[in-house]
Amino acid sequence: MAVSKPRPAHLHVSPLGTPSRDCSPDYLTMTRDRPATPDRASRSSFSSIRENESTLPQCFSKTKISSYLDPEAIDDLLSPPSPTGSTSSTDSQELKMIQTQTHTHTHTQPHTQPPTKFLPPVTNPNSRLLGYWTPADSFRGWKEIQVKGKLASKSFGDLQILHQVFKDTPKPTKRGGANRPGDAPLERLPTEILTSIINLLALDVPPNGVSRRNVDLMSLLLTSRTLHIATLTTLYSKITIPHSRIFQKFLAHISEHSTLGTIVRRLDFCHFNPAQLFSTAAERSQARNLTSETLLRCLDLTPNLQEFLAQEYLDDDLNADVLRKLFLGLPRLQAVDFCGCTSTKFKEAFTSIVSPDWPPVLSIRRLSLHKCLTLPSVVLETILPRLNHLTHLDVAGTRITDAALAAIPVTARITHLNLAKCTLLSARGVIDFLTNHPAAKELEFLSLATDARSHQLFDAESLNELLPVLPRTLKSLSLKGSKMEPSHVELLRPLTKHLEELAIGRSLTLADVNRLFVPDENTEDDVQMQLDWVPHTLKYLDLSDFWGQELDLVYLFSSGCAILKNFSEPLEVIEVAEDVFKRVKKSAAAVERAGWKMSECGSRGWLVRQPLKDATTGKPIVRDDGRRSWKMGADSWGMRKIPVARSEVGGMYGSFMFGRKL
């Protein structure tokens, strides 16, 4: 039962309970796009963007609240219901209750735990990281699980007290040809195979805001001891924290049962929204659910953590001790994401811990400092030379320098690199890195985008040097903001034979872009070109640098332009500038007649090809679903942020990936 809180007079409350100021709904989001001062950047409002299943690409839903709106969607894993089922009716009573719970779980000794044993994986018997923890030797948990006073359960929330769930009882004998407990064919599979199967049932994001997240897994927990062990690993390996009370319950749970903490591989805060529970920072601070101290304790209790995913709403809690623990105290940590963290506390904490005395090699393989605008260059110059096994690096909008980029170890093998809006980089430094550095030879995703209104990284001469040295492994390339000439089309054509995403720079015409899709026809040499022509592989084309009348809509819809025609396939998505999208929107009927539809999310807009229909059945032909291994879980095209963990798109990460301008 939710507790109503008094709201400040200067805030209005929408029907969904989210506060908004006396301005347009996108005001706080737009503040992110304003130039930041050297030591401060504005925080955007919480915006959760997730992909929708559809017959068309680029379909999103956007809300100002997390997909985890209903605590019941994930609460079951963490805490049983209150014995009385009652809830305080005032804000002060609720805060007092939360503080009491936090004090109890933080300062009391953990309960004596039931016996547990470790099962190593069949494929790697010597591993202490990839195995499985099991409680006692027999399982009859569904017999004695207390649910609000009843001996019945449809929720695994009451599987807290393991010594009540797992009892030592003699195994029943086999009767009438039935399999004995633990001896069914499914249960005889190796645990790692069984876990891989169960992982397919897990959902990163609830189907909608009010649905329980993993109802199938709840049932599996109560099926048998073998399935319980495998399911427990699935549930605890990836923990998503949408608000601070869930974090407090999770911390209390692993404090009491520390074995469960060893299962955790991912802590995901991308859905974290403090406004979901508390109207003001003072309320959140008073509750003391998620603080630097409790976050540090959580990291201490999850020694096998491999992925830590944070965002701007957590930056004040990332103090020096937490950052030191992440970089120096978790030897198995492979992925860290600090997307949008710009607070003064975060900057000062990071600056205070970096030191030449750090160990020469860090375990981090995937690092995102996306839009960490305030971090000084010394942070990157200290960390990057120690990432010997780096594969993913997103430093968009940071103060990375040529020296820091060049200092990446030669042993790194970077597949994803985002250098968008890095104003301290030079064209020469980037070209030298891509040409000569061994770490840049296997790139799949490369963004060199800039905002042409304020900065230009590559001029025409620089592009003449850059384009020929780009690796053939590339699948996504953004040259947005660069100054292009018609002669660059000849250099882009070979790239379109393996690229799936391409963002075009400025100063070209639509007729120049059209030459990427069809061979030239005007000279004798063009006849040979037509004979040797290899079709392109582009799925996504970014034309958002064509502003206003620069994008000739008359030519785009004419018979002489191939871009919207069927023979431009497999092209599916064309991104256009915001002002162009508004113009095209007025001619939606013409767009549909050409076989395309319009889609938008936040400040971005796309033309999306409608699927062709089968000539015999009249049904839409099944399209490419857009899933690629290099997208790390995303289905849509044109992501602006590199994911460092493979998961569904959602929360603030979805906003940074698909809902915002560069």
Side-chain angles (χ1 to χ4, degrees):
M1 179 176 178
V3 179
S4 61
K5 300 181 177 66
R7 304 277 181 175
H10 65 284
L11 290 179
H12 298 299
V13 181
S14 70
L16 292 175
T18 51
S20 59
R21 298 192 179 272
D22 290 320
C23 54
S24 64
D26 291 328
Y27 167 78
L28 290 176
T29 300
M30 289 190 295
T31 60
R32 165 64 62 184
D33 298 322
R34 296 186 308 195
T37 61
D39 297 315
R40 183 178 181 181
S42 56
R43 173 175 290 171
S44 58
S45 64
F46 184 90
S47 178
S48 177
I49 290 178
R50 58 174 294 186
E51 295 176 306
N52 293 335
E53 292 186 3
S54 172
T55 57
L56 296 175
Q58 309 304 110
C59 290
F60 302 94
S61 60
K62 179 180 179 181
T63 64
K64 290 294 183 181
I65 56 176
S66 170
S67 299
Y68 297 83
L69 168 65
D70 184 1
E72 289 295 325
I74 55 173
D75 235 5
D76 294 329
L77 173 62
L78 305 176
S79 177
S82 168
T84 63
S86 61
T87 306
S88 303
S89 59
T90 66
D91 186 51
S92 59
Q93 288 174 320
E94 181 186 12
L95 292 176
K96 181 178 179 181
M97 176 185 67
I98 296 172
Q99 287 175 315
T100 302
Q101 291 174 343
T102 306
H103 177 81
T104 301
H105 291 307
T106 304
H107 298 289
T108 58
Q109 293 294 327
H111 295 177
T112 302
Q113 296 187 48
T116 60
K117 64 180 180 180
F118 181 80
L119 302 178
V122 173
T123 53
N124 190 359
N126 297 320
S127 172
R128 297 291 295 177
L129 176 63
L130 303 176
Y132 309 89
W133 287 97
T134 171
D137 289 334
S138 61
F139 178 85
R140 59 194 303 265
W142 63 87
K143 303 292 186 183
E144 298 182 9
I145 301 173
Q146 295 287 338
V147 180
K148 297 184 179 178
K150 298 179 181 180
L151 292 175
S153 179
K154 291 184 179 179
S155 166
F156 58 85
D158 300 284
L159 297 175
Q160 270 203 15
I161 307 173
L162 296 183
H163 63 271
Q164 288 184 359
V165 177
F166 299 95
K167 295 281 188 178
D168 288 318
T169 56
K171 291 185 178 181
T173 57
K174 187 175 182 180
R175 300 181 190 173
N179 293 304
R180 292 176 296 179
D183 199 37
L186 180 65
E187 295 174 293
R188 292 198 298 267
L189 289 173
T191 309
E192 52 263 47
I193 294 179
L194 194 56
T195 300
S196 297
I197 296 172
I198 294 174
N199 284 343
L200 299 176
L201 300 176
L203 298 177
D204 291 334
V205 180
N208 55 58
V210 295
S211 299
R212 292 178 182 270
R213 183 158 67 107
N214 284 315
V215 290
D216 294 328
L217 300 184
M218 299 179 194
S219 302
L220 283 176
L221 276 172
L222 307 179
T223 303
S224 74
R225 174 178 172 272
T226 302
L227 291 179
H228 179 92
I229 295 168
T231 305
L232 203 65
T233 300
T234 296
L235 284 169
Y236 274 89
S237 63
K238 299 175 182 178
I239 299 296
T240 300
I241 306 294
H243 53 75
S244 60
R245 192 180 301 165
I246 292 296
F247 176 79
Q248 179 264 326
K249 292 180 178 180
F250 168 68
L251 178 58
H253 201 37
I254 62 174
S255 296
E256 186 173 0
H257 306 290
S258 58
T259 300
L260 295 176
T262 66
I263 301 175
V264 178
R265 299 294 184 265
R266 176 188 298 172
L267 283 177
D268 185 352
F269 292 89
C270 79
H271 291 268
F272 184 75
N273 180 11
Q276 195 165 335
L277 288 182
F278 307 110
S279 302
T280 66
E283 287 182 357
R284 178 187 170 200
S285 177
Q286 187 179 0
R288 305 290 295 173
N289 287 342
L290 200 164
T291 65
S292 300
E293 293 75 18
T294 56
L295 184 55
L296 181 60
R297 176 165 173 75
C298 178
L299 295 177
D300 287 335
L301 292 170
T302 53
N304 295 326
L305 190 68
Q306 294 179 332
E307 298 170 339
F308 181 83
L309 311 179
Q311 42 103 345
E312 57 189 299
Y313 278 102
L314 200 69
D315 56 3
D316 283 343
D317 298 309
L318 300 174
N319 69 0
D321 292 334
V322 171
L323 293 173
R324 189 178 294 108
K325 179 68 176 180
L326 287 170
F327 283 96
L328 305 178
L330 294 171
R332 297 184 177 94
L333 192 66
Q334 296 184 2
V336 181
D337 198 326
F338 297 117
C339 177
C341 294
T342 58
S343 71
T344 300
K345 289 183 179 179
F346 176 74
K347 180 192 72 171
E348 292 175 349
F350 227 137
T351 305
S352 68
I353 67 165
V354 293
S355 167
D357 297 330
W358 273 22
V361 178
L362 299 177
S363 63
I364 306 298
R365 294 173 179 264
R366 303 183 297 277
L367 175 65
S368 174
L369 298 172
H370 186 89
K371 296 297 181 71
C372 292
L373 308 175
T374 60
L375 285 183
S377 301
V378 66
V379 171
L380 291 158
E381 291 170 356
T382 302
I383 293 177
L384 293 184
R386 291 169 167 80
L387 304 182
N388 284 23
H389 307 290
L390 185 66
T391 60
H392 295 59
L393 179 63
D394 189 335
V395 287
T398 67
R399 300 177 181 179
I400 186 173
T401 61
D402 291 342
L405 185 64
I408 294 175
V410 296
T411 55
R413 291 295 178 265
I414 302 177
T415 59
H416 294 63
L417 180 62
N418 190 353
L419 301 177
K421 298 186 74 172
C422 294
T423 57
L424 297 186
L425 288 176
S426 68
R428 172 50 51 200
V430 173
I431 293 173
D432 287 345
F433 176 79
L434 296 174
T435 303
N436 303 314
H437 203 293
K441 301 305 179 184
E442 300 174 10
L443 285 171
E444 296 179 0
F445 179 100
L446 175 63
S447 177
L448 303 173
T450 60
D451 184 350
R453 295 178 176 89
S454 58
H455 177 67
Q456 176 181 288
L457 180 60
F458 292 102
D459 58 18
E461 292 184 3
S462 299
L463 285 178
N464 288 334
E465 291 187 65
L466 173 70
L467 294 176
V469 303
L470 294 175
R472 292 185 57 82
T473 54
L474 266 182
K475 299 298 182 182
S476 177
L477 172 65
S478 178
L479 299 172
K480 182 177 169 64
S482 58
K483 185 178 180 180
M484 289 189 160
E485 295 179 346
S487 60
H488 291 137
V489 173
E490 295 296 334
L491 298 175
L492 288 171
R493 272 175 167 167
L495 297 176
T496 63
K497 313 310 179 185
H498 56 82
L499 285 175
E500 293 188 283
E501 296 183 340
L502 176 62
I504 300 292
R506 295 194 47 73
S507 303
L508 293 182
T509 65
L510 207 54
D512 296 326
V513 177
N514 189 63
R515 294 175 57 209
L516 296 175
F517 300 94
V518 292
D520 299 331
E521 300 178 349
N522 298 326
T523 67
E524 294 182 2
D525 293 338
D526 296 338
V527 174
Q528 188 62 40
M529 178 185 295
Q530 295 178 39
L531 295 174
D532 298 336
W533 184 256
V534 177
H536 72 90
T537 56
L538 292 177
K539 290 281 191 176
Y540 163 87
L541 182 66
D542 186 348
L543 301 178
S544 59
D545 262 2
F546 287 65
W547 305 332
Q549 300 301 321
E550 293 176 357
L551 197 147
D552 188 345
L553 294 181
V554 175
Y555 176 76
L556 180 65
F557 289 97
S558 71
S559 59
C561 181
I563 296 176
L564 298 184
K565 303 299 185 294
N566 289 340
F567 48 82
S568 69
E569 291 192 39
L571 183 66
E572 281 191 338
V573 178
I574 301 172
E575 181 162 356
V576 295
E578 193 171 6
D579 60 336
V580 173
F581 187 83
K582 292 177 180 178
R583 287 169 51 210
V584 177
K585 203 171 184 178
K586 297 176 181 178
S587 305
V591 175
E592 292 196 15
R593 284 196 301 270
W596 294 70
K597 284 191 174 183
M598 304 180 69
S599 177
E600 60 182 324
C601 182
S603 59
R604 300 177 67 182
W606 303 275
L607 302 180
V608 181
R609 189 189 298 272
Q610 299 185 60
L612 297 176
K613 293 185 178 180
D614 187 276
T616 56
T617 65
K619 296 181 179 180
I621 299 174
V622 178
R623 71 170 186 86
D624 182 353
D625 60 14
R627 295 176 184 174
R628 301 290 189 273
S629 60
W630 58 267
K631 289 186 181 182
M632 301 288 286
D635 294 344
S636 301
W637 301 97
M639 62 185 181
R640 297 252 168 96
K641 175 193 176 299
I642 294 176
V644 297
R646 193 172 300 278
S647 64
E648 297 178 16
V649 174
M652 287 293 282
Y653 288 179
S655 177
F656 278 97
M657 290 170 70
F658 295 109
R660 306 189 182 204
K661 294 181 180 179
L662 188 64

